[in-house]
Each structure stands twice: as C-alpha cells, then as structure tokens.
C-alpha cells in the first residue's frame, strides 16, 4: 500500500505543477461526452489510452467488456451516463489478447467465471464457421475479440432506455472499437449504432 499512497502524492505534485487550479476545477462536477465500456484488464486504462484528463470519460469495466442486458451494475452506469450526464458517445472497447475471450473459446473450467463467459461463447457460436476457419490460434482469439465488441455494442443498442433516448431525439452514438496492447492503437471496427432502426425489428421498442 505504500506504493499506492506515495504514487498518489507524486501525481498530485506533478498535476499541480502543471495546473494549480486543476483540483478546484475538477471538484466542481463532471461533464464527460464519452462512456467507455471496457475490459477490467489492468493494461487498458481508458483515460491514458486516448490522452484525456480526468472528467472526460465515464467508465464501466468488466471482464471482456460485456454488455449483458440483465446486468444491473452496467445498466445503472449506462442509465446515469445517458440520462444525467448526457453523454453523446458510448465506446465498447475490446482489446486483442483478451484473456476472458480466450478462456471462453476453451472447454476449461474457470469456476464461477464459467457463468460470465457464457455470453462470449454465444458470440462464438454465432460466428463459429468463420472462426473455425482461422487456423492460427492467436488470430482466432483476436477475431473473436473484434466480433465480441461488435456484438456487445449491438447489445447496448437493444437497451430499452437507449432506444427511448433515440426516440426522444437524442443523437446518441454507440461505437465498437478494439485496442492493441502491441502498438497502443485504438481502432474503429466500423460498426456503430445511431438509432433503433439499426437493429432487427424484433429488438425495436416503441415507447410512444
């Protein structure tokens, strides 16, 4: 714990040296434009990756950046971000080499985590033919990482109050992205959702 507190003191000193009013301004509130749904992996910190200061990004992280539509923790974060912070962009951020995704592709048991990995296995089943045709194991995992981010972004668009925002004219955007640990680059997977019309009709909810 000594390293934690010493690191904090050093960060405060460095921050105040750059901007003496930083903490005064930060304490007045937050107005982020972005919600980041990322993996809990310690190598994927949201603010640092995109070079934005505290207060810029509202963050929810879990193993393998899952958007499970019955996850009350996730739904609470998204609801607050959308309804109260009025964020405009939701980024679902996977990362290559994700241990959770790799675990979901195996038949090993990981104890309690097996239950969490089911949703990733469902993504694998949806794209099984494509994935099974990829001979290289690392490349296969990385492709599932991409597909998982796309499907989790799609799950985000299925959330009832997200669709309610769209129907109320809120220009909310959901983006599937992926981060590379090898070069530090964040990549757009070119799969975004701008309205409930981007979903199949069975998932479209009419709030009026």
């Amino acid at each position: 714990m000594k390293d934690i507190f010493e690191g904090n003191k050093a960060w405060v000193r460095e921050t105040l040296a750059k901007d003496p009013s930083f903490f005064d301004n930060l304490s007045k509130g937050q107005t982020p434009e972005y919600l980041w749904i990322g993996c809990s992996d310690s190598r994927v910190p949201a603010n640092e990756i995109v070079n934005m200061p505290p207060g810029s990004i509202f963050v929810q992280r879990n193993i393998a950046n899952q958007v499970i539509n019955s996850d009350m923790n996730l739904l609470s974060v998204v609801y607050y971000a959308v309804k109260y912070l009025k964020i405009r962009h939701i980024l679902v951020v996977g990362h290559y080499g994700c241990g959770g995704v790799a675990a979901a592709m195996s038949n090993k048991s990981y104890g309690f985590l097996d239950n969490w990995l089911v949703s990733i296995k469902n993504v694998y089943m949806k794209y099984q033919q494509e994935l099974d045709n990829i001979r290289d194991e690392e490349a296969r995992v990385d492709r599932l990482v991409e597909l998982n981010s796309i499907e989790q972004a799609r799950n985000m668009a299925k959330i009832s109050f997200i669709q309610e925002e769209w129907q109320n004219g809120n220009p909310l955007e959901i983006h599937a992205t992926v981060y590379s640990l090898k070069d530090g680059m964040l990549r757009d997977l070119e799969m975004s959702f701008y309205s409930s019309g981007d979903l199949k009709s069975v998932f479209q909810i009419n709030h009026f």
Side-chain angles (χ1 to χ4, degrees):
M1 289 301 295
K2 180 180 179 182
D3 290 343
I4 292 292
F5 291 112
E6 290 300 321
N8 171 248
K9 291 176 184 177
W11 175 70
V12 170
R13 287 195 301 269
E14 293 169 5
T15 300
L16 289 175
K18 295 176 184 176
D19 181 2
S21 63
F22 179 85
F23 293 107
D24 288 336
N25 293 331
L26 193 66
S27 65
K28 293 176 182 177
Q30 60 174 328
T31 55
E33 292 186 29
Y34 306 94
L35 169 61
W36 177 288
I37 308 296
C39 182
S40 297
D41 193 301
S42 61
R43 301 167 294 175
V44 193
N47 289 73
E48 288 89 338
I49 286 172
V50 293
N51 196 30
M52 287 188 173
S56 303
I57 304 176
F58 202 59
V59 178
Q60 204 274 354
R61 295 168 70 178
N62 60 60
I63 292 175
N65 48 278
Q66 295 298 284
V67 178
I68 298 173
N69 298 78
S70 58
D71 182 347
M72 295 302 293
N73 182 298
L74 176 128
L75 292 175
S76 298
V77 170
V78 177
Y79 189 88
Y80 184 76
V82 170
K83 295 288 187 178
Y84 293 94
L85 296 178
K86 304 297 182 182
I87 58 98
R88 287 291 175 263
H89 299 273
I90 300 175
L91 285 72
V92 178
V93 187
H95 69 93
Y96 294 126
C98 179
V101 170
M105 294 187 74
S106 77
N107 295 112
K108 287 183 180 180
S109 174
Y110 294 88
F112 175 79
L113 289 176
D114 294 339
N115 303 285
W116 185 259
L117 299 177
V118 167
S119 60
I120 310 172
K121 289 178 181 288
N122 287 335
V123 177
Y124 175 83
M125 285 185 61
K126 183 175 181 178
Y127 297 96
Q128 184 171 3
Q129 183 174 357
E130 174 188 346
L131 291 166
D132 287 350
N133 285 332
I134 301 174
R135 297 300 183 97
D136 181 77
E137 183 176 352
E138 181 179 350
R140 191 185 315 119
V141 171
D142 284 348
R143 179 54 179 156
L144 182 53
V145 164
E146 295 174 346
L147 295 170
N148 179 59
S149 291
I150 289 170
E151 291 304 314
Q152 302 318 312
R154 194 186 314 277
N155 285 343
M156 182 68 69
K158 295 174 185 175
I159 293 175
S160 61
F161 54 82
I162 294 289
Q163 295 193 41
E164 182 180 37
E165 288 297 298
W166 280 330
Q167 291 180 25
N168 286 332
N170 183 348
L172 191 62
E173 300 180 8
I174 302 169
H175 310 282
T177 64
V178 65
Y179 174 71
S180 173
L181 295 167
K182 293 181 177 180
D183 62 17
M185 297 301 296
L186 183 66
R187 293 174 171 81
D188 185 356
L189 291 173
E190 299 183 359
M191 177 60 72
S192 298
F193 298 86
Y194 305 98
S195 74
S196 54
D198 292 329
L199 297 170
K200 291 184 176 180
S201 60
V202 71
F203 295 110
Q204 297 175 15
I205 302 172
N206 186 358
H207 289 274
F208 303 102

